[in-house]
Amino acid sequence: MARLIEKIGYGMGDMASSMFWKIFSYYLPIFYSDIFNLSLTHTATLMFVTRVWDAVSDPMMGIICDRTNTRWGKYRPYLLWFSLPFAICGVLLFTTPDFDEQGRLIYAYITYILMMTVYTCINVPYASMLGVMTSDSYEKTVFSSYRMFFAYGGSFIALYAWEPLCKLFSDNNLSFLNVGGMAGAWQGAMIVIATVCFLLFIGSFLLTREHVKGVKGDKLMNDFRSLVRNFPWWMITCTALCTNLFNTVRGATVAYYFKYYIGNDNIVDFGFFSFIFFAGVFLAIGEVCNMIGVVCAMPLSKRLGKKTTFIVSAVAMGALSILFFYMPLSNEGFIGILLLQVLISIFTGVVSPLVWSMYADVADYSYYKHGTASTALIFSSGSMAQKFGGAIAGSAVLLLFSFFGLQPNAATQTPGAIFGLKLAISYIPAAISLLIIGLMVLYPLTTKRIAEFKNSGMERQ
């Protein structure tokens, strides 16, 4: 049984990653279009094209990790080595240089590719640690739940604090690198977030250990041959991609949805209390409810099995998303929007730890079935699915807005643009949830099947 301090330490790592990832996913598109002053089309192209590199970098990092041997283990040392570059690249990403449009576009490509590369170098090893911290399938779900609980906690802090931080730097005219205005405010906010993330990664490195002795990596072609023959891997990777599509389509829409449709100065009145309803509050409430879902994931998956729990959650996510389209712009409508956000976020919180726990099961299946040890290569596909899901979703949302005629920074938007905003937060996520259900129906590693191959008499060497 792993110590509590290790579970907390492991959670701290994804707390750092998630603080950055949620800011990237939810605020980077509107930063590029409304602060950095790139067109919607340029921003959509940038977010998609740069992820082509991830198709190479993520598996490459997985291969490197599986063949790394240090006194700290295979995967853990990367938390130490890349924590500072991770923080620095995040700040550079949210820095607006005094260049012309072409220069800014080139700068955006360079810093975005650099950030995603460093993210790969720290997140692929971090995810792969789950496979060597314990050999017990249920305890992997426990570790994964701690990971996601801390991740959503970090996301809550980052999302709730982001707009107040930007306002703090803007109101007090605080800037760095001679960057002023809102551009300087966004840069200053990211410096604060980056510092916190750096400290969290260092803490995660110090508090965790690798307990399961990793098997030396097989020949590279054998690893890849095993991977492409691994049907459960195909299913969980496609599911992970669609899950990130679902989350990022909704999340990337929120800042635009509030700025151009709901407004950021509305008051939600429950009668006995009221508060200002803005994008950061909406997103932060979602993160808290994600944490509730993570807590529910362990007992639900233990009772129903991971696969069934995933399918039930996806059905709920889709059905609830459709209702978003019909919420009116009134106090009752805002309360309904909040309620839907609470419920959807609970179910997305349930599935999040299951994805990574299932990757750990797939890695075990790969070894028991094919005799290969490609843990990081398998987990790197989870990181790649996360990035591709985010890239496709972010690009698709921006192209959708462009198609429906949304104009960045315009005082009013056309009915067509508003229709596009409503689609992006309702019916489109619902359609993605249908894909998730279909993929999970095909996923073969039920609780019974996992027990069968682990009791087959084959043991790790």
Side-chain angles (χ1 to χ4, degrees):
M1 181 70 68
R3 296 179 302 159
L4 176 63
I5 193 68
E6 289 191 68
K7 296 170 184 175
I8 292 173
Y10 189 63
M12 288 169 65
D14 210 32
M15 189 175 194
S17 288
S18 189
M19 288 177 80
F20 263 36
W21 187 258
K22 290 299 175 69
I23 296 295
F24 297 164
S25 298
Y26 298 169
Y27 283 103
L28 191 60
I30 201 168
F31 168 76
Y32 277 145
S33 66
D34 289 24
I35 306 295
F36 204 83
N37 291 323
L38 294 181
S39 69
L40 290 174
T41 304
H42 275 153
T43 302
T45 305
L46 161 68
M47 298 187 75
F48 184 78
V49 170
T50 53
R51 298 302 173 86
V52 174
W53 165 239
D54 289 330
V56 178
S57 66
D58 280 65
M60 185 186 300
M61 193 64 207
I63 292 166
I64 293 170
C65 290
D66 279 331
R67 287 155 179 80
T68 297
N69 288 288
T70 74
R71 63 191 178 95
W72 296 312
K74 283 179 173 290
Y75 313 116
R76 180 169 156 255
Y78 289 93
L79 303 183
L80 176 66
W81 297 339
F82 284 94
S83 55
L84 185 59
F86 185 89
I88 292 171
C89 289
V91 174
L92 292 176
L93 189 66
F94 278 87
T95 295
T96 304
D98 187 18
F99 298 157
D100 60 18
E101 184 179 3
Q102 186 66 25
R104 289 199 311 276
L105 186 61
I106 293 171
Y107 176 88
Y109 270 91
I110 292 172
T111 53
Y112 198 38
I113 290 173
L114 188 61
M115 181 68 248
M116 289 301 103
T117 301
V118 173
Y119 187 92
T120 292
C121 290
I122 201 167
N123 204 254
V124 168
Y126 168 79
S128 304
M129 284 171 60
L130 183 60
V132 294
M133 294 184 75
T134 178
S135 59
D136 181 79
S137 178
Y138 177 71
E139 194 162 8
K140 286 173 184 174
T141 303
V142 175
F143 264 104
S144 188
S145 294
Y146 269 85
R147 169 188 179 173
M148 298 314 303
F149 187 86
F150 274 79
Y152 287 130
S155 298
F156 168 79
I157 294 169
L159 293 172
Y160 188 79
W162 183 254
E163 292 180 50
L165 278 173
C166 290
K167 190 174 189 302
L168 172 68
F169 281 97
S170 177
D171 289 351
N172 291 279
N173 199 29
L174 300 174
S175 62
F176 299 86
L177 304 178
N178 296 318
V179 179
M182 287 306 298
W186 280 58
Q187 183 196 57
M190 180 48 68
I191 289 174
V192 174
I193 298 296
T195 302
V196 173
C197 291
F198 167 73
L199 295 174
L200 286 168
F201 273 129
I202 295 299
S204 183
F205 168 78
L206 294 173
L207 296 177
T208 54
R209 295 293 184 272
E210 296 183 15
H211 295 290
V212 179
K213 186 177 180 181
V215 183
K216 292 183 179 180
D218 205 340
K219 291 182 180 180
L220 186 57
M221 288 309 299
N222 288 345
D223 281 354
F224 276 110
R225 190 178 298 113
S226 169
L227 197 65
V228 298
R229 289 186 298 165
N230 192 328
F231 182 73
W233 172 78
W234 283 104
M235 292 300 100
I236 194 60
T237 297
C238 291
T239 302
L241 189 150
C242 288
T243 302
N244 281 289
L245 268 175
F246 180 93
N247 290 328
T248 307
V249 164
R250 295 185 74 247
T253 300
V254 168
Y256 292 95
Y257 186 73
F258 273 80
K259 182 174 181 179
Y260 297 121
Y261 180 56
I262 290 181
N264 284 305
D265 297 319
N266 290 294
I267 301 293
V268 176
D269 187 1
F270 283 88
F272 52 94
F273 79 100
S274 61
F275 56 87
I276 298 175
F277 192 36
F278 61 96
V281 168
F282 177 87
L283 291 169
I285 287 172
E287 299 304 316
V288 172
C289 295
N290 284 152
M291 295 166 72
I292 295 171
V294 170
V295 173
C296 295
M298 287 187 290
L300 285 174
S301 62
K302 190 172 185 179
R303 183 178 180 84
L304 303 176
K306 298 176 188 179
K307 176 176 175 175
T308 301
T309 302
F310 214 123
I311 292 173
V312 170
S313 298
V315 170
M317 286 154 52
L320 293 167
S321 292
I322 292 173
L323 297 179
F324 251 101
F325 190 87
Y326 302 100
M327 291 295 105
L329 291 179
S330 63
N331 187 63
E332 292 75 16
F334 297 153
I335 293 173
I337 287 171
L338 275 176
L339 179 60
L340 290 173
Q341 172 71 343
V342 166
L343 295 174
I344 291 171
S345 299
I346 288 174
F347 285 109
T348 56
V350 169
V351 302
S352 294
L354 296 183
V355 169
W356 296 106
S357 180
M358 286 170 157
Y359 266 117
D361 291 336
V362 168
D364 286 343
Y365 173 83
S366 177
Y367 179 65
Y368 287 112
K369 184 75 173 178
H370 304 295
T372 59
S374 52
T375 302
L377 183 60
I378 288 172
F379 273 94
S380 71
S381 61
S383 175
M384 185 172 67
Q386 182 183 45
K387 291 179 181 178
F388 268 116
I392 294 169
S395 299
V397 163
L398 293 172
L399 290 174
L400 178 75
F401 294 163
S402 180
F403 175 79
F404 281 101
L406 186 142
Q407 295 296 321
N409 293 315
T412 59
Q413 299 292 339
T414 64
I418 298 301
F419 180 73
L421 286 170
K422 293 173 69 176
L423 278 183
I425 207 165
S426 59
Y427 276 97
I428 293 175
I432 296 169
S433 70
L434 285 177
L435 292 176
I436 295 172
I437 294 165
L439 290 164
M440 268 293 101
V441 168
L442 296 175
Y443 178 75
L445 296 186
T446 60
T447 302
K448 181 180 178 181
R449 182 73 183 99
I450 293 168
E452 285 175 355
F453 73 71
K454 285 200 169 185
N455 294 329
S456 63
M458 301 176 67
E459 297 182 356
R460 292 192 180 197
Q461 300 176 359

